[in-house]
Amino acid sequence: MINIKFIKKENRAVAYDDEIEIGECNFKEVGDTWNILHTGVDIKYQGQGIAKRLVKCVIENAENFSKNLIAECSYAKKILETK
């Protein structure tokens, strides 16, 4: 089972298959804005919606922390535009 964990102190959401890290979505915090820089998933796990879950995890936490959200990451930018 794939689990998503938000790690605020590392500015990223991480996907795990058991204890193996298989993907991440990282962001940079500047003032009251989080900028998603990169989203990536191990090639063996692509096509399962994991990247979308990672971006949505960052979105949810940005809302919880009352942060604005932008994205340099092209994939995350698409998700934000359809939000």
Side-chain angles (χ1 to χ4, degrees):
M1 178 175 194
I2 307 303
N3 293 308
I4 307 295
K5 181 177 178 185
F6 184 74
I7 308 172
K8 171 75 168 82
K9 67 183 177 187
E10 296 178 12
N11 289 352
R12 66 189 193 131
V14 184
Y16 292 97
D17 185 358
D18 288 320
E19 295 182 21
I20 300 167
E21 184 176 318
I22 59 161
E24 73 169 349
C25 178
N26 58 39
F27 62 93
K28 178 172 61 174
E29 182 172 4
V30 179
D32 64 349
T33 301
W34 289 359
N35 181 5
I36 299 176
L37 303 173
H38 172 75
T39 306
V41 175
D42 184 288
I43 195 163
K44 293 183 276 183
Y45 293 88
Q46 291 179 357
Q48 299 179 36
I50 297 168
K52 183 180 253 184
R53 289 177 58 199
L54 287 165
V55 172
K56 288 192 175 204
C57 179
V58 173
I59 291 170
E60 289 172 11
N61 280 280
E63 291 171 356
N64 291 342
F65 286 97
S66 300
K67 300 293 183 177
N68 298 311
L69 201 54
I70 59 173
E72 286 181 32
C73 168
S74 60
Y75 180 78
K77 187 178 277 192
K78 289 178 189 175
I79 301 294
L80 289 174
E81 289 171 355
T82 61
K83 181 180 170 279

